[in-house]
């Protein structure tokens, strides 16, 4: 959790703060990651790597039916295996208190609500012995008929009260039907996206240890403080009796956004055995226990006048949730603020199936929603005979449609214009299917994207020490994005000291409440707290000086965030794609990708570039590869590993060109920082789909764009 940036001279904090060289700005400069050496040499420890004395290992047994109840569990079959210490199931598991997330109430009854649900846990001296015991455990079921297929005519379809995180499920204004009747150009199409799984490099893991009534867990998560809150509620503990440490985290993409199954079961097993226990998920188990992107079926209806001005925008999104916990993805919310339409309806429908609970996956809602909306805008441009970029610019709003709220900043038009220049869009022949290189058909496409740039309350403590150094403590989580480095840059500038005088400590719930590394809110929220603490510390040092034990200041941004003006705060981007399509096989290859973004103050250009490229690379996967395939007969995902679940490999990814427009948005937070982790994926799949149409003349309204779909006749 500690990061020391370099060797230090001996200067007092007051001397450090007053040095002229200390005013050198580090935010906006290309600084290498401060934890790079620790990671490449193996010094960085992840949740499943902390060495503890007397450590035992838990292995999960998961259901092999999609719906039913447990008839019996033969403990003797597991205890017969060497090294097995305990078997925990619904008959002997500790009773838990509902923390507001029913997916965490593990082993509490005999009901099976989806394939892959945890039905037992075997604990042994080694991981191999625990696995052997788990494989030997005999579980019998009373199986019931299951329902796992999302359909728009499902008899249990309903409109939820809200969609993630708290948007109204439906928003409308104006007379949609009247606008359609009078429009010169109309479009009515359906779009589909499949279930997708996050698959971070590091599988979920947790190591739990009890010391009397005090619990310490080493957990792989995107927010140690929120995990602490959940564990305290689950096990009926005071919050200060729980400490969650998430020093290094190997990716998450939303799947580690809140507490997950390993944290609950490792804690339960550790208390039962009175010794430390580690629970790690296999890659296959992650497909059922950590969340995924829901499949969607979306209807988009657009109507425009003869000039291309939108008269009606109607976006209806169907998605699924589980029988355990209602989670409704905000798929159609992006349509509410993206374009100026005279009338609008944006609505959601949901059905609870016998499936695992969907959760967050990079740009939840916006990524699948943009595929439908931005594909539809491209189709409308074709019907209206207007360039797709110009159609978007024609419909650029000055205030948020429907509410009249202003934007803290918005320069989507600049992204489109600059991207068109970099991509060479002016040379494009609008007609589809006219460019070729031998057997390859060549096409280009564009799409726009946006993602909210919000802030959440966060606490930060900065301590000035007598040796002239400063320690920054904040419960931020570095999930591979470079948070240690970026926050060090922010703190150095806020304190006006050289960055080598800082020690940054992250991922410890004892440091107080902080926003998770998610929702593109992490760096912005954490930076706000750091800047506030730094200003207060500088003031106190100048007024009162430094005592023998140093000086410590804690800042909390709760009141500041609550007092923020009511504006629409977003990041924006435009993606451009060139594809090559084999006319014989239907294979699609990406030749070029260009992305231009506007996202406030860029803290570290080299890391920002990586984030944008990562998002666009994930967009390639979304467009061409990713698809979790449900076996309807059994209720099981059949491609539940990285052999069957395809993602973009090196050969699939061309040289991606990214850039950003300078943006000074002091209405977002004091640092002008916006999130960039998710906006890169938002428009990418639609840009690729639009490029495939331009190459072939065939619209791709279902992801992924497989060769068989490309070869189908018709438009």
């Amino acid at each position: 959790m500690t990061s020391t940036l370099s060797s230090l001279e001996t200067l007092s904090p007051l001397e450090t703060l007053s040095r002229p060289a200390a005013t050198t700005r580090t935010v906006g400069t290309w600084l290498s990651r401060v934890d790079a050496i620790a990671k490449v040499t193996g010094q960085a420890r992840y949740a499943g790597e902390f060495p503890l004395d007397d450590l035992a290992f838990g292995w999960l047994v998961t259901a092999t039916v999609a719906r039913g109840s447990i008839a019996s569990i033969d403990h003797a079959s597991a205890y017969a295996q060497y090294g097995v210490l305990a078997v925990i199931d619904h008959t002997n598991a500790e009773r838990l208190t509902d923390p507001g997330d029913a997916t965490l109430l593990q082993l509490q009854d005999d009901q099976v609500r989806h394939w892959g649900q945890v039905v037992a846990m075997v604990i042994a001296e080694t991981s191999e012995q625990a696995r052997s015991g788990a494989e030997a455990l005999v579980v019998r079921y009373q199986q019931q008929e299951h329902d796992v297929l999302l359909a728009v005519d499902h008899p249990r379809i309903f409109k939820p009260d809200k969609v993630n995180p708290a948007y109204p499920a439906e928003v409308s204004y104006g007379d949609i039907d009247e606008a359609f009747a009078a429009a010169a150009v109309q479009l009515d199409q359906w779009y589909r996206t499949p279930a997708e799984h996050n698959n971070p490099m590091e599988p979920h893991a947790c190591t739990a240890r009890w010391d009397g009534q005090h619990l310490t867990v080493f957990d792989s998560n995107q927010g140690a403080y929120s995990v602490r809150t959940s564990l305290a509620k689950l096990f009926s503990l005071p919050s200060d009796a729980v400490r969650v440490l998430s020093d290094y985290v190997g990716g998450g993409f939303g799947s580690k956004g809140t507490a997950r199954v390993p944290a609950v079961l490792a804690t339960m097993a550790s208390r039962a055995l009175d010794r430390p226990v580690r629970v790690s998920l296999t890659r296959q188990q992650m497909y059922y226990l950590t969340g995924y992107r829901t499949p969607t079926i979306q209807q988009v209806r657009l109507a425009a006048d003869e000039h291309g001005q939108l008269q009606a925008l109607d976006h209806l999104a169907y998605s699924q949730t589980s029988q355990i916990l209602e989670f409704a993805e905000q798929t159609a919310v992006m349509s509410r603020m993206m374009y100026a339409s005279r009338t609008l309806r944006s609505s959601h429908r949901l059905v609870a199936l016998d499936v695992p609970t969907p959760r967050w996956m990079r740009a939840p809602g916006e990524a699948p929603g943009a595929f439908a909306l931005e594909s539809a805008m491209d189709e409308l441009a074709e019907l209206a005979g207007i360039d797709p970029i110009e159609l978007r610019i024609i419909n650029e709003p000055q205030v948020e449609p429907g509410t009249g709220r202003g934007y803290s900043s918005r320069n989507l038009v600049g992204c489109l214009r600059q991207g068109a220049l970099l991509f060479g869009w002016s040379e494009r022949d609008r007609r589809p299917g006219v460019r070729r290189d031998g057997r390859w058909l060549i096409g280009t496409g564009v799409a726009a994207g946006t993602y909210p740039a919000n802030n959440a309350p966060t606490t930060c403590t900065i301590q000035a020490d007598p040796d002239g150094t400063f320690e920054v403590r904040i419960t931020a989580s570095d999930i591979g994005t470079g948070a240690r480095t970026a926050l060090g840059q922010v703190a150095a500038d806020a304190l006006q000291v050289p960055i080598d005088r800082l020690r940054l400590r992250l991922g410890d719930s004892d440091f107080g409440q902080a926003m998770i590394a998610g929702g593109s809110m992490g760096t912005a929220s954490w930076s706000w707290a750091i800047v506030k603490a730094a200003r207060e510390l500088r003031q106190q040092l100048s007024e009162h000086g430094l005592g023998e034990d140093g000086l410590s200041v804690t800042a909390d941004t709760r009141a500041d965030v609550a007092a923020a003006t009511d504006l629409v705060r977003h990041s924006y981007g435009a993606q451009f794609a060139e594809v090559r399509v084999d006319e014989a096989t239907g294979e699609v290859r990406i030749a070029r990708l260009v992305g231009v973004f506007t996202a406030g103050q860029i803290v570290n250009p080299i890391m920002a570039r990586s984030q944008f490229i990562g998002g666009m690379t994930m967009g390639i996967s979304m467009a061409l590869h990713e698809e979790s395939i449900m076996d309807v007969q059994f209720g099981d995902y059949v491609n539940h590993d990285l052999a069957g679940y395809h993602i973009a490999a090196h050969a699939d990814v061309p040289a991606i060109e990214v850039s950003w427009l300078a943006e000074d948005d002091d209405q977002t937070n004091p640092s002008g920082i916006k999130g960039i982790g998710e906006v890169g994926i938002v428009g990418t799949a639609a840009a690729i789909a639009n490029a495939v149409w331009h190459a072939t003349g065939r619209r791709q309204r279902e992801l992924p764009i497989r060769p068989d779909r490309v070869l189908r006749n018709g438009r």
Side-chain angles (χ1 to χ4, degrees):
M1 290 158 293
T2 302
S3 177
T4 303
L5 302 183
S6 78
S7 59
L8 307 165
E9 353 169 2
T10 303
L11 288 175
S12 73
L14 287 174
E15 292 173 317
T16 301
L17 292 171
S18 63
R19 288 201 310 174
T23 61
T24 302
R25 185 171 172 82
T26 60
V27 168
T29 62
W30 294 60
L31 182 67
S32 296
R33 295 187 184 223
V34 299
D35 55 4
I37 293 176
K39 287 187 173 182
V40 299
T41 59
Q43 298 174 53
R45 282 184 174 158
Y46 294 81
E49 296 180 327
F50 284 90
L52 298 176
D53 293 337
D54 203 27
L55 180 64
F57 296 82
W59 198 275
L60 307 186
V61 180
T62 56
T64 55
V65 300
R67 184 180 181 185
S69 60
I70 300 168
S72 66
I73 299 180
D74 180 9
H75 289 199
S77 59
Y79 280 115
Q81 305 302 307
Y82 182 77
V84 170
L85 300 169
V87 177
I88 299 177
D89 59 31
H90 69 280
T91 65
N92 60 2
E94 179 177 351
R95 298 300 96 182
L96 302 174
T97 302
D98 188 353
D101 180 352
T103 66
L104 301 179
L105 297 175
Q106 294 293 310
L107 304 178
Q108 298 299 289
D109 59 39
D110 64 353
Q111 295 300 298
V112 175
R113 298 170 178 88
H114 63 80
W115 184 291
Q117 174 186 316
V118 179
V119 295
M121 171 174 50
V122 176
I123 304 99
E125 295 288 355
T126 69
S127 178
E128 293 79 7
Q129 291 167 357
R131 180 171 187 171
S132 178
E135 291 175 347
L137 191 70
V138 178
V139 183
R140 295 181 175 87
Y141 303 93
Q142 290 286 344
Q143 189 170 357
Q144 300 173 13
E145 185 176 351
H146 61 262
D147 181 5
V148 296
L149 186 62
L150 174 65
V152 298
D153 58 353
H154 196 287
R156 297 199 307 275
I157 286 281
F158 68 98
K159 182 172 72 175
D161 294 330
K162 64 178 183 179
V163 294
N164 177 60
Y167 294 107
E170 183 165 313
V171 167
S172 65
Y173 58 82
D175 191 324
I176 289 280
D177 295 332
E178 179 183 311
F180 267 96
V185 185
Q186 300 181 22
L187 173 78
D188 185 347
Q189 291 293 351
W190 290 83
Y191 304 88
R192 291 174 176 264
T193 62
E196 299 170 351
H197 280 80
N198 309 56
N199 281 303
M201 185 176 293
E202 177 205 16
H204 296 61
C206 181
T207 306
R209 178 183 64 199
W210 287 87
D211 181 10
Q213 288 299 305
H214 191 276
L215 170 66
T216 301
V217 299
F218 303 87
D219 186 54
S220 180
N221 62 62
Q222 294 174 227
Y225 190 85
S226 69
V227 174
R228 183 187 85 160
T229 300
S230 293
L231 291 176
K233 291 179 179 177
L234 278 162
F235 292 91
S236 300
L237 298 168
S239 294
D240 59 5
V242 181
R243 186 183 187 189
V244 177
L245 302 169
S246 55
D247 197 353
Y248 288 90
V249 181
F253 306 118
S255 71
K256 300 174 183 176
T258 52
R260 291 296 189 263
V261 170
V264 180
L265 294 179
T267 299
M268 182 186 292
S270 178
R271 180 134 80 173
L273 272 68
D274 194 24
R275 59 188 289 189
V277 174
R278 176 170 297 154
V279 174
S280 303
L281 298 188
T282 65
R283 180 68 58 181
Q284 292 81 0
Q285 289 170 346
M286 288 166 59
Y287 278 72
Y288 310 102
L289 300 175
T290 64
Y292 60 98
R293 195 192 302 282
T294 174
T296 71
I297 304 171
Q298 303 176 58
Q299 182 184 25
V300 180
R301 301 166 65 222
L302 301 176
D305 63 19
E306 62 274 15
H307 305 295
Q309 179 63 56
L310 284 172
Q311 302 301 298
L313 195 167
D314 191 6
H315 190 173
L316 172 61
Y318 295 84
S319 62
Q320 71 187 34
T321 188
S322 72
Q323 302 285 2
I324 300 173
L325 177 71
E326 181 177 309
F327 179 86
E329 188 151 311
Q330 72 279 21
T331 309
V333 166
M334 175 179 161
S335 293
R336 299 175 187 176
M337 57 79 61
M338 197 62 178
Y339 300 112
S341 176
R342 187 166 65 84
T343 66
L344 175 139
R345 180 167 57 210
S346 161
S347 53
H348 300 79
R349 299 295 182 269
L350 193 64
V351 60
L353 301 173
D354 302 314
V355 296
T357 305
R359 300 302 278 266
W360 309 283
M361 183 171 173
R362 198 175 200 168
E366 279 77 7
F371 169 67
L373 176 63
E374 292 299 299
S375 294
M377 287 292 287
D378 202 73
E379 295 200 51
L380 184 69
E382 178 198 0
L383 292 172
I386 300 174
D387 181 87
I389 292 177
E390 293 307 314
L391 179 68
R392 289 169 170 83
I393 293 174
I394 288 169
N395 290 286
E396 173 70 7
Q398 298 305 306
V399 295
E400 184 179 49
T403 70
R405 293 194 304 161
Y407 295 98
S408 66
S409 60
R410 177 174 171 129
N411 195 9
L412 175 58
V413 172
C415 294
L416 289 164
R417 294 290 194 207
Q418 180 67 14
L421 183 65
L422 294 173
F423 191 73
W425 186 261
S426 62
E427 303 171 8
R428 180 183 193 254
D429 188 326
R430 191 180 300 165
R431 296 171 300 166
V434 298
R435 287 183 62 195
R436 69 166 55 237
D437 178 12
R439 74 177 194 272
W440 296 96
L441 302 173
I442 302 173
T444 53
V446 64
T450 186
Y451 198 81
N454 296 322
N455 299 271
T458 297
T459 298
C460 174
T461 298
I462 302 181
Q463 178 175 317
D465 291 327
D467 64 358
T469 66
F470 299 83
E471 181 171 275
V472 180
R473 299 190 290 271
I474 187 168
T475 314
S477 181
D478 192 334
I479 59 175
T481 54
R484 279 181 172 80
T485 308
L487 296 184
Q489 292 177 264
V490 170
D493 283 6
L495 289 166
Q496 298 180 23
V497 301
I499 197 169
D500 62 5
R501 295 211 160 264
L502 298 178
R503 297 185 307 280
L504 198 68
R505 298 182 63 194
L506 308 180
D508 186 336
S509 64
D510 279 359
F511 297 157
Q513 180 182 7
M515 176 59 194
I516 68 168
S520 291
M521 297 168 64
T523 302
S525 301
W526 304 329
S527 295
W528 194 338
I530 288 173
V531 169
K532 183 176 182 179
R535 289 173 178 172
E536 292 181 10
L537 179 64
R538 286 178 55 81
Q539 181 176 351
Q540 290 198 27
L541 281 172
S542 64
E543 293 177 356
H544 308 294
L546 182 70
E548 293 183 0
D549 298 327
L551 179 64
S552 179
V553 167
T554 298
D556 187 338
T557 63
R558 179 177 298 276
D560 307 271
V561 172
T565 54
D566 185 21
L567 296 171
V568 181
R569 298 172 174 85
H570 277 245
S571 296
Y572 299 91
Q575 285 101 332
F576 296 77
E578 179 181 314
V579 302
R580 297 165 64 88
V581 182
D582 190 314
E583 63 178 341
T585 67
E587 177 190 359
V588 178
R589 293 186 183 179
I590 310 298
R592 283 193 301 156
L593 275 182
V594 171
V596 179
F597 304 93
T598 175
Q601 171 67 59
I602 300 300
V603 178
N604 186 310
I606 192 170
M607 294 193 305
R609 179 176 180 273
S610 293
Q611 280 288 292
F612 288 134
I613 289 175
M616 293 176 71
T617 299
M618 206 162 171
I620 294 174
S621 274
M622 181 180 181
L624 303 182
H625 304 291
E626 294 195 50
E627 181 179 22
S628 300
I629 301 170
M630 173 64 72
D631 185 328
V632 177
Q633 181 177 355
F634 294 99
D636 179 20
Y637 289 112
V638 297
N639 58 334
H640 50 212
D641 54 38
L642 292 183
Y645 184 89
H646 294 169
I647 58 175
H650 285 285
D652 299 306
V653 182
I656 299 176
E657 182 179 352
V658 298
S659 61
W660 48 86
L661 307 179
E663 182 177 67
D664 184 9
D665 186 349
D666 60 1
Q667 295 298 308
T668 297
N669 53 57
S671 300
I673 295 171
K674 294 182 178 180
I676 61 174
E678 289 162 289
V679 71
I681 190 178
V682 174
T684 304
I688 293 170
N690 294 336
V692 172
W693 165 78
H694 188 238
T696 64
R698 297 172 183 172
R699 284 288 174 187
Q700 302 301 315
R701 302 186 181 99
E702 183 173 3
L703 296 182
I705 305 173
R706 301 190 315 236
D708 62 306
R709 291 172 177 159
V710 174
L711 293 176
R712 289 175 186 165
N713 293 326
R715 301 180 65 182

